[in-house]
Amino acid sequence: MIRDIISYTAMALLLALFSSCEVMVNGPGYDPEDNDDGPSTTTTTTTTTEPERISFKTASLFPFRNNSNWWQYSEPGGNSLRIAVTDTISDDNILYYRVSFQELRVDTTDDWFQQTSRGTMFGPSLIGTYHLFLPPKIDAATDTFTSNGRTVTYTWHESFTCGAGTFRDAVTLEYSSPIIHGFDEITLADSIGIVELIDFDGRWTVEYTLDSCSVDDTVYRFRGE
């Protein structure tokens, strides 16, 4: 009887020791159901949406190639802005157009524009460096281009409404840093020109919208004037 008790106790000690060794070998938290063939891998799938593909030539967005063209704007604060083509100069068979930006109670500044195979270019003076204002064509409903070292994001609108007008085939330019007269956003409409200019950087937002314009001897009025 005593031998049986001793044998039973010895067997219990051996089983306890074996279990302890198994835990130490396999480590704490070991689950024999785990797959021990190697580290597990997790596959993450990221879905990106491609922008809508379009094909739109931009030369018609800013019809500055006529000395009689002008555009008149106003903003809720009472200020007004007038853009007008005031001069044309030919140099080496290249036509340059002077465009005047006349902002009431601010200043009048002239820029020079030209149409090239690289797109619509502009510069602060007739002789000097010209920067990209509009690429010759856009291939996506939204994308970016670089002008004077700064990023410009453009967005094409099938229909765009501002002020009292709705325009088809419009393009909004958003500047990472303003490059033309301090405006952060400029929207242009097909065969009309600039229809909206927004400056977010002042003490308050200044938003000019088109009241009327004359493009190639046709006058358009958008506020019932």
Side-chain angles (χ1 to χ4, degrees):
M1 182 67 178
I2 296 176
R3 283 202 303 258
D4 291 339
I5 294 174
I6 294 173
S7 297
Y8 178 80
T9 303
M11 184 176 294
L13 289 173
L14 287 173
L15 287 174
L17 180 61
F18 177 79
S19 298
S20 175
C21 289
E22 184 178 28
V23 170
M24 293 181 64
V25 169
N26 292 323
Y30 171 76
D31 185 349
E33 297 295 329
D34 286 345
N35 183 356
D36 198 29
D37 292 335
S40 61
T41 58
T42 301
T43 302
T44 302
T45 302
T46 301
T47 302
T48 57
T49 303
E50 288 291 326
E52 178 186 354
R53 308 309 297 179
I54 63 172
S55 180
F56 183 78
K57 294 182 178 179
T58 64
S60 62
L61 290 175
F62 190 30
F64 60 86
R65 296 166 296 281
N66 186 321
N67 283 8
S68 66
N69 289 1
W70 54 263
W71 299 263
Q72 187 70 38
Y73 308 82
S74 63
E75 58 97 17
N79 282 358
S80 65
L81 170 69
R82 179 181 175 86
I83 299 175
V85 184
T86 59
D87 199 4
T88 305
I89 292 179
S90 176
D91 183 34
D92 289 336
N93 296 318
I94 300 176
L95 288 176
Y96 299 85
Y97 296 84
R98 181 165 60 189
V99 179
S100 178
F101 287 73
Q102 306 163 4
E103 191 171 2
L104 180 66
R105 296 196 295 269
V106 180
D107 60 10
T108 297
T109 307
D110 292 336
D111 285 299
W112 291 86
F113 286 80
Q114 60 170 309
Q115 198 77 51
T116 74
S117 60
R118 295 179 294 157
T120 303
M121 313 295 292
F122 78 99
S125 60
L126 177 62
I127 300 175
T129 302
Y130 280 71
H131 306 291
L132 183 61
F133 183 58
L134 288 168
K137 189 175 84 168
I138 57 178
D139 299 310
T142 182
D143 206 342
T144 63
F145 64 89
T146 301
S147 177
N148 195 20
R150 301 168 193 176
T151 299
V152 184
T153 300
Y154 69 78
T155 303
W156 172 81
H157 312 274
E158 183 177 2
S159 178
F160 180 85
T161 300
C162 68
T166 297
F167 308 90
R168 294 187 60 81
D169 288 327
V171 173
T172 297
L173 307 176
E174 299 179 52
Y175 298 91
S176 60
S177 179
I179 61 175
I180 184 165
H181 301 287
F183 291 107
D184 301 286
E185 284 187 15
I186 297 176
T187 299
L188 308 97
D190 182 38
S191 302
I192 295 295
I194 297 174
V195 296
E196 184 179 65
L197 307 98
I198 304 178
D199 178 3
F200 295 112
D201 296 330
R203 293 178 60 187
W204 54 82
T205 298
V206 175
E207 180 177 354
Y208 286 108
T209 55
L210 185 63
D211 293 331
S212 57
C213 63
S214 177
V215 178
D216 297 332
D217 301 321
T218 298
V219 175
Y220 302 87
R221 301 191 185 279
F222 303 101
R223 295 185 186 274
E225 296 178 358

